[in-house]
Amino acid sequence: MALHIVLVEPEIPANTGNIARTCAATGIHLHLVRPLGFRTDDATLKRAGLDYWYAVHIEYHDSFAEVEEMYKGSRFFFATTKGDKRYSDYQYQDGDFFVFGKETKGLSPEILEAHPDSLIRMPMTDKVRSLNLSNSAAIIVYEALRQLDFPGMK
């Protein structure tokens, strides 16, 4: 088993590239839900300096519902500024999924409303609307990895 990051309709290739690097460095699986705001062909990835893409376990999905169906019975946590609980309030388990929305709008109201007990937020001041997507993903998954004693990592 492994932890999973799900990016629902990511728009900015550099953010996805940073998250992919985090996944390669940690063994976390990456799920990209279409439509993507960029291409993922070899030339595009090489131009973005993503020469470690080969080390990322990646799956592409046509909808978030497809991810939920494929991984029925798994625990999903949804990163949002609209959550009441902090990401550090949960005890994570191997196999958990961390779901992030697109950079400009976050996760859709439909996804958030369907999972009110699994919304997680990051504490921050009221000076900004949100943190950068790749920073948020790294902070949250490293908390989960810390709780699991960094499995498979040295």
Side-chain angles (χ1 to χ4, degrees), residues 78-93:
F78 302 84
T80 175
T81 58
K82 297 162 183 68
D84 291 328
K85 290 192 172 184
R86 295 177 301 199
Y87 73 99
S88 56
D89 290 341
Y90 289 90
Q91 185 63 44
Y92 298 113
Q93 302 169 8

Side-chain angles (χ1 to χ4, degrees), residues 10-87:
E11 300 167 312
I12 301 173
N15 283 332
T16 300
N18 287 338
I19 292 168
R21 175 171 270 182
T22 297
C23 289
T26 59
I28 291 174
H29 294 193
L30 178 61
H31 301 261
L32 298 180
V33 177
R34 298 178 185 101
L36 308 179
F38 50 88
R39 295 188 350 243
T40 57
D41 60 38
D42 263 356
T44 303
L45 296 176
K46 285 180 183 166
R47 202 168 30 254
L50 305 181
D51 56 351
Y52 50 83
W53 200 258
Y54 72 92
V56 179
H57 177 99
I58 187 166
E59 294 180 27
Y60 294 90
H61 305 276
D62 290 323
S63 68
F64 179 67
E66 179 182 300
V67 178
E68 286 183 300
E69 181 63 29
M70 283 182 75
Y71 294 94
K72 207 176 265 186
S74 296
R75 295 190 331 159
F76 290 84
F77 295 92
F78 302 84
T80 175
T81 58
K82 297 162 183 68
D84 291 328
K85 290 192 172 184
R86 295 177 301 199
Y87 73 99

